[in-house]
């Protein structure tokens, strides 16, 4: 992994944020995404999740330019790639990881708010929720609400506004401790499961808007049949986990009623 020397945008010297980007065959967009992130002045950790030769070559060029590169020999899925990126980021000494997708659909001008939230509350997991333009496919716009409803059921709360947006800022050490107990899956279900389990563990969350556009030549690696089955199985598994935790979850929700946000404690070492 090569070293980046860009200044960090954190006022507190104890906070060392980076960007992590899981990449699977996005050779046409990943360099542009990295260039767009340059004003943030943050190191970037790229995770090559078994990319093909053209994309791997672009990632090599970005590594030579000073970005960190984690290379996975085989494609494992988004969840596996994000776990690899979080583990590498902790080894590199970073305290927080701003996850963003490699396809360029997220508006980088919305990202400084995540860093501000980190500075104000370093223990909070900042979650992006999408604000779509007219390019969003209707089936995606409405289809994601099926997952949202299950998340609200499985947390007995509306605290998590969206679990499928690819932008969020993780407190790295606490997240990696959680992932040692629950890997949260290798593929697209990861983004949802990790947020539910974070909430179950008592973790604080904040929801921030991210403008999203879908490029006409965009590449999606979502596999409707296989990934929807994995997501359905995940929600079923989480539902039974919720039943075991329902008294504590219900108490947490009702005790915070009337407040603008839930204010739970940070995840501890206890087993969930």
């Amino acid at each position: 992994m090569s070293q980046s020397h860009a200044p960090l945008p954190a006022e507190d010297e104890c906070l060392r944020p980076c960007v992590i980007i899981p990449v699977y065959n996005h050779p046409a967009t990943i360099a542009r995404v990295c260039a767009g992130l340059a004003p943030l002045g943050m190191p970037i950790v790229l995770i090559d999740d078994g990319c093909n030769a053209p994309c791997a070559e672009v990632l090599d060029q970005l590594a030579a330019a000073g970005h960190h590169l984690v290379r996975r020999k085989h494609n494992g899925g988004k969840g596996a790639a994000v776990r690899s990126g979080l583990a590498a980021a902790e080894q590199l000494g970073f305290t927080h990881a701003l996850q963003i997708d490699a396809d360029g659909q997220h508006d980088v001008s919305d990202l400084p708010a995540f860093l501000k939230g980190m500075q104000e509350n370093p223990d909070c997991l900042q979650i992006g929720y999408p604000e779509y333009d007219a390019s969003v496919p209707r089936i995606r716009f409405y289809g994601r609400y099926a997952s949202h409803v299950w998340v609200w059921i499985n947390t007995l709360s509306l605290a998590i506004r969206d679990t499928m947006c690819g932008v969020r800022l993780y407190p790295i050490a606490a997240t990696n401790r959680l992932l040692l107990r629950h890997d949260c899956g290798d593929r697209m279900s990861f983004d949802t499961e990790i947020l539910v389990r974070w909430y179950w563990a008592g973790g604080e969350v904040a929801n921030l808007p991210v403008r999203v556009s879908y490029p006409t030549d965009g590449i999606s690696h979502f596999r409707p049949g296989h990934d929807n089955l994995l997501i359905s199985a995940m929600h079923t598994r989480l539902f039974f986990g919720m039943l075991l935790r329902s008294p504590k979850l219900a108490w947490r929700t009702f005790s915070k009623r009337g407040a603008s946000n839930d204010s739970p404690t940070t995840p501890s070492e206890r087993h969930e």
Side-chain angles (χ1 to χ4, degrees), residues 241-269:
M242 177 275 293
L243 294 178
L244 294 174
R245 298 166 174 83
S246 57
K248 182 173 70 173
L249 292 172
W251 172 255
R252 175 175 171 180
T253 296
F254 288 113
S255 67
K256 299 298 182 181
R257 176 168 288 185
S260 59
N261 258 325
D262 288 350
S263 300
T265 57
T266 56
S268 68
E269 295 289 342

Side-chain angles (χ1 to χ4, degrees), residues 45-68:
V45 179
L46 301 164
I47 305 99
D48 175 353
D49 189 27
C51 291
N52 58 22
C55 190
E57 183 178 353
V58 173
L59 293 176
D60 285 337
Q61 294 169 0
L62 291 169
H67 299 305
H68 302 285

Side-chain angles (χ1 to χ4, degrees), residues 173-183 194 197-198 201:
T175 303
N176 283 339
R177 289 196 299 270
L178 183 66
L179 290 172
L180 285 176
R181 304 195 297 274
H182 312 283
D183 66 14
I194 191 172
R197 290 197 178 276
W198 176 275

Side-chain angles (χ1 to χ4, degrees), residues 9 37 55 62 111 122 190 195-196 221 225:
L37 293 167
C55 190
L62 291 169
L111 301 182
F190 175 90
L195 297 186
V196 172
H221 296 299

